[in-house]
Amino acid sequence: MQELALVLTRTLLIYVVVFLVMRLMGKREIGKLSIFDFVISVMIAEIAVIVIEDTDRSMLHGIVPMVGLLVIQVGMAYLAMKSRTIRLLFDGKPTVIIARGRLLPDALRKQRYNLDDMMLQLRENGIASIAEVDFAILETSGKLSVIPKEKGDVNSSSTLDLNSIMEKTKVPADFRFENLPIPLIMNGKVQDENLQKLNQNRFWLKSKLQQQQIDHFKDVFLCTLDHRGQIYIARNSATTPH
């Protein structure tokens, strides 16, 4: 009975520790964990089991490694916020499997993503036919994001015509459809490579910002161009007008 009470007490204590560690790791749906986050979570779970089962082992032998994993995870999350290179290294890149209503078999094979899974996720998105899909993007979490085709004509007179840009420049096929929307500014830093592939420059981008009364690139937290040619701009909170 005494041993059972000890196991129960250790279980409760480890539960509290694991709960706090997972809470401090940040809010993210379980299905959307990156591989790095998933590995950390599995390791924490394994350490918790070992400490609970081995009553001769000090609780510190479990708590200290958990705190260490928490520090590593939070540190990497902070670095990933500051560096897109690190984000791509740990999270990978999304893969377009349907582009302009055309299925891309090579992309499916590369991701080892079978047709049954694809059709299942299309149905979950309310899509009955691939012909209804403009873009389908397999996210790094394994979720399929679907952008259906427009049912009517899109009024794009006030926005940039992305198709005309694509026709005027030799944009690589793997760039044209990946990472939609296309980032032009991230954390105040201009993505010059994306601008060049769109046959545009910083002068053009700045003119678009000035239309929104924004004078400096550093004042923009995120600027993207979507598949319809529409530009989205989010200001840095420190520069948001009151």
Side-chain angles (χ1 to χ4, degrees):
M1 182 64 68
Q2 184 177 358
E3 183 177 353
L4 183 61
L6 178 60
V7 171
L8 180 59
T9 301
R10 293 170 72 93
T11 300
L12 292 175
L13 289 174
I14 290 298
Y15 168 78
V16 172
V17 173
V18 172
F19 175 82
L20 291 175
V21 168
M22 299 300 290
R23 183 68 180 82
L24 292 172
M25 282 176 59
K27 296 181 180 179
R28 185 177 292 191
E29 294 180 33
I30 296 300
K32 295 182 180 179
L33 291 177
S34 67
I35 295 177
F36 180 75
D37 292 334
F38 178 73
V39 170
I40 292 289
S41 300
V42 170
M43 292 182 67
I44 289 175
E46 289 294 328
I47 293 172
V49 170
I50 292 173
V51 174
I52 291 173
E53 290 183 344
D54 190 353
T55 55
D56 293 330
R57 188 184 299 270
S58 171
M59 292 283 289
L60 289 177
H61 289 172
I63 295 176
V64 171
M66 288 183 192
V67 173
L69 290 173
L70 171 63
V71 172
I72 292 174
Q73 194 278 338
V74 172
M76 291 307 303
Y78 177 79
L79 291 176
M81 287 179 61
K82 298 295 183 181
S83 171
R84 187 165 185 261
T85 301
I86 293 179
R87 286 199 299 274
L88 295 178
L89 177 64
F90 282 94
D91 294 340
K93 300 172 70 173
T95 301
V96 173
I97 62 173
I98 300 175
R100 302 295 188 193
R102 183 171 63 90
L103 186 63
L104 305 178
D106 289 341
L108 289 172
R109 285 191 288 267
K110 184 178 179 180
Q111 297 300 320
R112 296 177 294 281
Y113 186 66
N114 63 60
L115 292 173
D116 289 329
D117 288 340
M118 182 192 72
M119 296 305 297
L120 170 64
Q121 293 203 8
L122 286 177
R123 290 193 297 271
E124 290 177 343
N125 280 277
I127 301 296
S129 170
I130 293 178
E132 300 175 17
V133 179
D134 199 358
F135 292 97
I137 305 164
L138 185 61
E139 306 292 356
T140 56
S141 63
K143 178 182 177 181
L144 186 67
S145 298
V146 179
I147 303 175
K149 290 183 178 179
E150 291 288 339
K151 294 183 178 180
D153 293 332
V154 179
N155 181 13
S156 59
S157 59
S158 62
T159 62
L160 177 67
D161 186 349
L162 182 58
N163 289 327
S164 65
I165 290 180
M166 296 304 183
E167 292 171 359
K168 294 176 182 178
T169 183
K170 296 180 180 179
V171 180
D174 60 345
F175 172 85
R176 184 178 302 186
F177 303 117
E178 92 175 1
N179 284 343
L180 292 174
I182 300 170
L184 302 180
I185 301 176
M186 301 180 74
N187 294 321
K189 296 180 180 179
V190 178
Q191 306 299 303
D192 290 300
E193 181 181 0
N194 290 349
L195 282 176
Q196 291 171 4
K197 290 180 178 180
L198 291 172
N199 201 25
Q200 298 295 338
N201 52 38
R202 290 193 175 206
F203 179 80
W204 168 84
L205 180 57
K206 192 161 189 176
S207 69
K208 296 297 178 181
L209 297 182
Q210 289 175 340
Q211 292 176 11
Q212 302 294 325
Q213 289 75 52
I214 300 175
D215 296 322
H216 305 288
F217 296 131
K218 66 180 181 180
D219 294 336
V220 178
F221 181 69
L222 176 66
C223 175
T224 63
L225 181 71
D226 69 15
H227 70 295
R228 299 184 183 92
Q230 295 178 322
I231 292 180
Y232 169 82
I233 299 173
R235 300 170 183 259
N236 274 317
S237 57
T239 61
T240 301
H242 298 283

